[in-house]
Amino acid sequence: MKIHEYQAKGLFETFGIPITPGNVASTPTQARTIAESLGLPVVIKAQVHVGGRGKAGGVKLVDDIEQIAPTTEQILGLTIKDLPVRIVLLTQAVNIATEVYLSILIDRGTREIIFIGCADGGVDIEETAKTNPEKIVRLACLVNELHDLPRAKALPFAKKLFPDASQAEQAAAIMSRMARLFVEKDCALIEINPLIVDDAGKVIALDAKVLLDDNALFRHPELETLRDMDAEDPDELKAKAVGLSFIRLEGRIGCMVNGAGLAMATMDTIKHFGGEPANFLDVGGSSDPKKVVAAFQTILKDPEVKVILINIFGGITRCDDIARGILTSLDELEVNVPIIIRLIGTNQAEGQALLEGTELLTADTLEEGATKAAEIGGVV
Ligand code: GDP
Ligand code: MN
C-alpha cells in the first residue's frame, strides 16, 4: 500500500527521522494560514502517489505570502500521471547544500533487506543506476539487526554518502531509525530522495516515500486508515470486501480460480499458449456460491474481457457449489462472453451434472482450457 509524503513524514517524526516542519491543506485559504505560521519561504507540494512531482509542476517554492493562495490553487488543479491533486503539503523551505539518495527495501534477487545509497541524490535514481552504476552503494542487513542497527555497520556505509564526519554520524543514526521503522511497521520500501544537508550542516529528509506490505496490514490497523481511496482501484477494493483476491491485468482472458497458487499456474499456462490474462482472481478455499457470483460481476465489469476461463480444483471447495454459483450467475447476470470451465475434484460428477445443458465449454485439462481461451481471447 502506498501512502502520501505527509503521512510518511508523520511516521518519520514518530521514529525520530528529522524532517522540516509542515502541514497539509486542501484549500488556498488553509494554505495561507499554514504558510503564515510556518514563516516564508515555504515549499508547496502536491500529495499524490507518484514520483517526479517536481518535474510535473507539483512542487513550488514560494517566498511571497500573496502567492501562497494562487500557487496552491494552481497545484490543486493539477492531475499528475492521472491522479488528481486534492491536498498539498506546505513545508518550511531549506537551503540545500547536498542532496543524497537513501532507501531501505527488500531485494528479491538476493533475498535480503538492503540499504541503497547514492551520493548524487534528488535526481532519478533509476537513471543513475543505468548510466553510472558504480555510484550506487548497497548494504545488506540481517533481519534481526533491524530493530537496533549496529552503528559500526551503518557508519562505514553512511561515510560513502557523506564524507563529512558529523554528517555521516547523523546519516548513520537516520539509517538505524529507518531500519526500525521498516521492521516495526512491516514496510516494503522506505525511500528518502533527497536526504539533504542544510546550511547549518544538519541532515534532513526532504521527501519521504513509504510502501507498506499489504499482507501485514492486519497487524497495523492504524496504518490501514492511511489508505487513499482515490488512488485504489474500486473494483479491487470491492472484491476484497467480499473475500476475493482480485488484481486487474492487461489481457482479455478473465480468470476465476480457487487458490492463489493455482491462479498463478493458470495465468502462466494461459501465457504459455499465447493468451494474456485480464486478471488474477482467487475465489478462495471455501465454496460459497455467492463468491462465484461476485467473481463474475468483477470480471465482467472489464470491457476488455473476451472469454472467461474457470479453473477449479476441488478440495475443500466443492465442485457442485461452484456449479451452483455459476448457474445463479448465468441467471442473474448478463454473461455475454464464452465461458470455458475445467471443474475437477470434490463432487466433480455432481458439479458437472448441474452444468449439463448450459452453453459452457468444458475442458478436461488446464492445457486444453488455456489453449481454447487463448484461441478465443487472442493475443493483445
Ligand atoms: P518529487 O519530485 O516527487 O521527488 O518531490 P521532492 O519532494 O523530492 O521535491 C522535488 C525537488 O524539489 C527536490 O529534489 C528539491 O530539489 C526541491 N525541494 C523540495 N523542497 C525543497 C526545499 O525546502 N528547498 C529547496 N531549495 N528545494 C526543495
Ligand atoms: Mn523526491
Side-chain angles (χ1 to χ4, degrees), residues 118-185:
C118 179
D120 287 348
V123 291
D124 192 352
I125 189 76
E126 283 86 3
E127 199 50 44
T128 308
K130 272 185 218 145
T131 53
N132 297 83
E134 74 289 348
K135 286 191 176 170
I136 312 272
V137 287
R138 289 157 197 275
L139 176 71
C141 300
L142 302 172
V143 172
N144 54 10
E145 286 176 327
L146 294 175
H147 272 288
D148 206 354
L149 192 70
R151 177 176 171 276
K153 178 149 190 167
L155 196 57
F157 179 83
K159 280 184 177 158
K160 293 182 193 165
L161 304 175
F162 298 94
D164 176 90
S166 146
Q167 291 167 16
E169 284 288 352
Q170 294 176 61
I174 289 172
M175 285 170 67
S176 133
R177 287 156 190 174
M178 284 168 80
R180 183 171 294 168
L181 167 59
F182 189 89
V183 67
E184 283 188 11
K185 297 294 181 187

Side-chain angles (χ1 to χ4, degrees), residues 341-344 348 352 362-369 372:
I341 183 164
R342 176 209 182 215
L343 185 64
I344 62 163
Q348 176 178 337
Q352 287 171 351
T362 55
D364 293 330
T365 63
L366 174 54
E367 287 75 7
E368 187 189 336
K372 279 187 188 169

Side-chain angles (χ1 to χ4, degrees), residues 5 9 20 43 45 50-55 59 61 91-96 99 122-123 193-194 206-208:
E5 175 193 1
K9 283 183 170 170
T20 47
V43 181
K45 309 175 82 175
V50 288
R53 295 165 301 166
K55 278 189 199 152
V59 179
L61 184 87
T91 60
Q92 255 172 28
V94 291
N95 284 323
I96 301 176
E99 284 187 299
V123 291
N193 189 26
L206 215 59
D207 193 3

